[in-house]
Amino acid sequence: MPILLLLLQEPAADAEQFTPFSINTGMIFWTLVVFGILVVLLWRLGWPALLKSVEEREARIAKQLADAEQANARAAQLLEQHKQALEKARAEAQDMITAAKSVAQKEREQLLARTRQEQEELLERARREIGAEKEKAILDLRREAVDLSIAAASKLVESNLDSEANRRLVLDYLATIGQRH
């Protein structure tokens, strides 16, 4: 209220005119009083609330930093586990490929050995059959030769001709046998 009174007062005629460089002690006094009251009110009411909110914010930021650090450590741990699992999977896959190649190679060798054995058996059977057919053919030829000799001898004995006639007779008989077969 005293400020209002001062503002409402008309300046005295004999008082000096106000300039920007003039000092008004009353105004300084009241400004200091209002500033002091404001500082005391802020110190009592505003400062604790402001300090409390700053401390809460600081605690929240510290908690977030700790959580972020824990999450970062967990992520690093998970990444390491993932790398180990991936490396283990690669090693297992490589082992499986190696084992599959080994099994395939053994199977191939077994198949080749079995095929070679079957070929050898077929060749041996063919040789035996050829040998048996050869023996049979030789026996047939011998029988035929004996039959031919007997037939030729009986023709020679039936007609006792000269040697030229004997020769002609054997050749004729052989020709007739060749026509039959």
Side-chain angles (χ1 to χ4, degrees):
M1 185 88 140
I3 297 176
L4 271 177
L5 289 176
L6 287 175
L7 289 176
L8 290 177
Q9 282 181 353
E10 289 184 27
D14 58 348
E16 291 182 21
Q17 283 293 0
F18 179 75
T19 63
F21 298 109
S22 61
I23 297 177
N24 188 347
T25 55
M27 183 68 91
I28 292 174
F29 173 73
W30 287 112
T31 303
L32 287 175
V33 169
V34 169
F35 180 73
I37 292 171
L38 188 61
V39 166
V40 168
L41 285 175
L42 284 176
W43 189 268
R44 296 279 177 162
L45 302 176
W47 186 258
L50 186 63
L51 192 59
K52 182 180 176 189
S53 68
V54 167
E55 287 173 352
E56 287 174 356
R57 184 168 186 252
E58 186 178 293
R60 189 174 58 245
I61 289 172
K63 185 180 181 302
Q64 288 175 348
L65 284 174
D67 290 346
E69 193 172 309
Q70 286 177 347
N72 192 16
R74 179 70 178 145
Q77 181 183 12
L78 288 175
L79 180 64
E80 186 62 31
Q81 288 175 352
H82 178 68
K83 284 181 182 178
Q84 289 175 354
L86 185 62
E87 189 62 35
K88 183 179 177 183
R90 282 185 183 148
E92 287 176 1
Q94 189 63 35
D95 290 344
M96 291 172 113
I97 289 170
T98 304
K101 284 182 181 178
S102 174
V103 167
Q105 182 65 26
K106 287 179 184 177
E107 188 68 28
R108 180 176 175 262
E109 289 172 0
Q110 287 175 352
L111 286 174
L112 285 174
R114 191 177 318 142
T115 304
R116 283 187 191 118
Q117 183 180 2
E118 288 173 1
Q119 286 176 346
E120 289 295 324
E121 289 173 359
L122 285 174
L123 283 173
E124 186 61 34
R125 189 177 326 139
R127 285 182 186 136
R128 282 193 307 261
E129 288 175 2
I130 289 171
E133 290 296 320
K134 182 180 172 184
E135 289 296 320
K136 184 178 174 186
I138 289 173
L139 285 176
D140 286 344
L141 284 175
R142 283 185 186 164
R143 244 183 264 129
E144 191 72 29
V146 167
D147 288 343
L148 285 174
S149 298
I150 292 173
S154 66
K155 287 274 185 179
L156 285 176
V157 171
E158 286 176 9
S159 67
N160 198 357
L161 304 172
D162 63 358
S163 65
E164 187 63 37
N166 287 339
R167 230 183 238 141
R168 215 174 325 135
L169 184 63
V170 170
L171 288 176
D172 287 342
Y173 182 73
L174 288 176
T176 59
I177 291 176
Q179 290 174 356
R180 284 188 218 164
H181 295 288

